[in-house]
């Protein structure tokens, strides 16, 4: 149970970063921390006590138990999607930097009023 | 200060809301039905030693196709957002001697390692995505060491489009010659645990590796350009 709670704390750190930071890059880092905590959480759900990596080699005994391969495959997908969203966010941040010359969200306020 | 305090309270409340989800979770003691089916029959059915690969490439292959499509859309979106013609800055610090010599020594090794990872995706940990990222890191090293070096857009686009198209063709071949879309068994399964085994899985993973590598190099190339 403790690994799950640690994952959850990592998630909360990410959320705290997103709502308190003023720098766009730091906000994106917070988002990435949240994302990886969720990935870690889902991987941990598939863990079985005493299970080995789901790869069959010459040394795998016939009655060996594997950890769940399904969450691992799903997280592989999720990591790539996370990479894609982070890259898009960074492109947006670069676009904003070109327009305003700053990453500070308090100064990016032309849409206001 | 008061704002930080409220943020902290918000985070604590969120923690309280979701805490039961975390504390009442029971560790898994045996595989679920789907996972057990994949773990027991996967190796015999598809001939891939790495069960995660058999799930990613064959059983859930359609999801992987969607994932590759998302990466493609990302590249297109970044190209759209940063489409303005940018002027490369004139004064850029040249790379140091250590970086240059290190790059010329390490570059072939890194690319070889990337190719090894995606070719052996069905036998060892790793696969197309990981291998593609390793290859992209080699190109980033090249871009860092030589400031005038920029990967050719046309070559990258062709590489990406061709590998994507061949990926879909592989899927359709599986549909015609074997059980269904992206079925790997239209090529001989070969001897279990050898590199030429598991039917079409190494081919598909190599195509994914090339596609991911080309896409990542394209993304980094676009993000790395600054304007004055």
């Amino acid at each position: 149970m403790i690994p799950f709670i640690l994952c959850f704390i990592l998630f909360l750190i990410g959320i705290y970063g997103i709502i308190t930071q003023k720098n766009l890059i730091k906000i994106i880092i917070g988002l990435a921390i949240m994302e990886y905590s969720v990935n870690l959480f889902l991987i941990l759900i598939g863990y079985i006590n005493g299970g080995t990596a789901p790869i069959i080699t010459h040394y795998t005994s016939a009655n060996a138990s594997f950890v769940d391969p399904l969450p691992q495959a799903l997280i592989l997908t999720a990591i790539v999607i996370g990479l894609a969203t982070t890259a898009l966010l960074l492109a947006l941040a670069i676009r904003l930097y070109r327009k305003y010359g700053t990453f500070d969200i308090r100064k990016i306020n032309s849409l206001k009023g | 200060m008061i704002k930080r305090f409220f943020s902290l309270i918000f985070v604590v409340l969120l923690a309280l809301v979701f805490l039961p989800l975390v504390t009442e979770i029971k560790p898994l003691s045996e595989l679920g039905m789907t996972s057990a089916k994949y773990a027991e029959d996967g190796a015999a059915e598809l001939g891939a030693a790495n069960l995660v690969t058999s799930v990613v490439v064959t059983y859930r292959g359609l999801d992987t196709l969607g994932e590759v499509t998302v990466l493609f859309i990302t590249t297109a979106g970044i190209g759209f957002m940063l489409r303005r013609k940018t002027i490369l800055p004139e004064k850029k610090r040249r790379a140091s001697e250590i970086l240059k010599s290190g790059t010329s020594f390490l570059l072939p090794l890194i690319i070889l390692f990337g190719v090894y990872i995606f070719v052996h995706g069905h036998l060892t940990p790793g696969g197309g995505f990981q291998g593609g990222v390793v290859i992209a890191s080699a190109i980033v090293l090249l871009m860092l060491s030589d400031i005038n070096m920029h990967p050719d857009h046309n070559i990258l686009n062709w590489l990406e489009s061709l590998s994507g198209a061949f990926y879909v063709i592989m899927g359709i071949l599986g549909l015609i010659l074997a059980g269904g879309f992206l079925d790997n068994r239209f090529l001989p399964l070969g001897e279990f645990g050898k590199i030429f085994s598991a039917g079409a899985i190494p081919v598909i993973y190599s195509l994914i590796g090339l596609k991911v590598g080309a896409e990542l190099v394209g993304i980094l190339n676009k993000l790395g350009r600054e304007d004055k």
Side-chain angles (χ1 to χ4, degrees):
Chain A
M1 200 182 80
I2 288 167
F4 292 110
I5 292 176
L6 290 178
C7 273
F8 189 50
I9 290 172
L10 202 59
F11 180 80
L12 293 176
I13 289 172
I15 281 199
Y16 183 74
I18 288 175
I19 53 181
T20 54
Q21 293 304 316
K22 301 286 184 288
N23 189 318
L24 266 179
I25 300 293
K26 287 180 182 167
I27 292 175
I28 294 173
I29 291 174
L31 210 65
I33 291 175
M34 268 170 76
E35 192 186 298
Y36 285 114
S37 77
V38 173
N39 288 349
L40 203 58
F41 187 82
L42 288 174
I43 287 274
L44 279 171
I45 284 179
Y47 180 71
I48 292 178
N49 230 341
T52 56
I55 297 172
I56 298 165
T57 59
H58 296 300
Y59 307 105
T60 312
S61 58
N63 53 1
S65 70
F66 294 125
V67 298
D68 201 338
L70 209 53
Q72 299 196 9
L74 289 176
I75 294 309
L76 184 58
T77 312
I79 288 172
V80 177
I81 305 288
L83 174 103
T85 49
T86 310
L88 268 178
L89 282 171
L90 284 174
L92 275 173
I94 288 175
R95 195 65 195 267
L96 282 170
Y97 186 82
R98 277 182 190 170
K99 191 154 167 50
Y100 295 96
T102 175
F103 281 126
D104 194 331
I105 51 169
R106 285 166 300 188
K107 291 180 185 137
I108 302 173
N109 52 8
S110 286
L111 280 178
K112 218 187 242 175
Chain B
M1 199 58 222
I2 192 90
K3 228 175 163 186
R4 282 212 166 195
F5 181 66
F6 277 121
S7 316
L8 208 60
I9 287 182
F10 170 72
V11 168
V12 169
L13 286 179
L14 199 75
L16 286 179
V17 169
F18 284 105
L19 202 61
L21 188 77
V22 183
T23 51
E24 286 177 18
I25 203 160
K26 298 263 189 310
L28 214 58
S29 55
E30 56 180 12
L31 295 178
M33 264 172 68
T34 320
S35 312
K37 164 90 172 58
Y38 290 160
E40 280 159 20
D41 305 341
E45 246 176 40
L46 305 178
N50 188 343
L51 293 172
V52 178
T53 300
S54 65
V55 174
V56 168
V57 180
T58 304
Y59 288 124
R60 305 268 94 212
L62 199 61
D63 298 356
T64 307
L65 187 61
E67 176 187 354
V68 170
T69 315
V70 168
L71 256 186
F72 172 72
I73 292 170
T74 306
T75 326
I78 288 174
F80 173 70
M81 272 193 270
L82 304 176
R83 73 185 178 285
R84 211 173 71 191
K85 277 266 186 234
T86 53
I87 312 136
L88 292 169
E90 302 280 313
K91 276 188 202 160
K92 220 175 185 184
R93 214 172 53 164
R94 296 178 67 90
S96 69
E97 195 57 43
I98 298 175
L99 185 59
K100 276 185 190 163
S101 322
T103 304
S104 57
F105 174 67
L106 282 175
L107 191 75
L109 292 179
I110 296 177
I111 291 183
L112 192 68
F113 183 54
V115 172
Y116 174 86
I117 288 179
F118 67 63
V119 169
H120 286 75
H122 57 303
L123 302 175
T124 54
F129 295 101
Q130 296 88 329
V133 172
V134 171
I135 288 182
S137 74
I139 306 293
V140 170
L141 198 58
L142 194 63
M143 279 158 71
L144 283 177
S145 73
D146 186 358
I147 47 175
N148 294 319
M149 189 288 201
H150 282 288
D152 193 342
H153 268 288
N154 284 330
I155 295 178
L156 284 179
N157 285 344
W158 273 104
L159 193 62
E160 187 190 325
S161 317
L162 278 181
S163 45
F166 274 113
Y167 182 22
V168 176
I169 289 173
M170 283 307 218
I172 293 172
L173 278 178
L175 187 65
I176 297 169
L177 301 172
F181 190 66
L182 283 169
D183 195 332
N184 68 327
R185 286 171 294 184
F186 66 91
L187 291 176
L189 285 187
E191 194 183 335
F192 185 79
K194 291 280 182 293
I195 177 165
F196 291 111
S197 66
I201 286 181
V203 184
I204 291 176
Y205 241 1
S206 303
L207 291 172
I208 293 177
L210 285 177
K211 189 167 162 61
V212 170
E215 268 161 0
L216 278 180
V217 172
I219 288 175
L220 289 165
N221 190 24
K222 277 169 197 149
L223 287 182
R225 290 191 173 215
E226 314 161 32
D227 62 347
K228 280 206 286 191

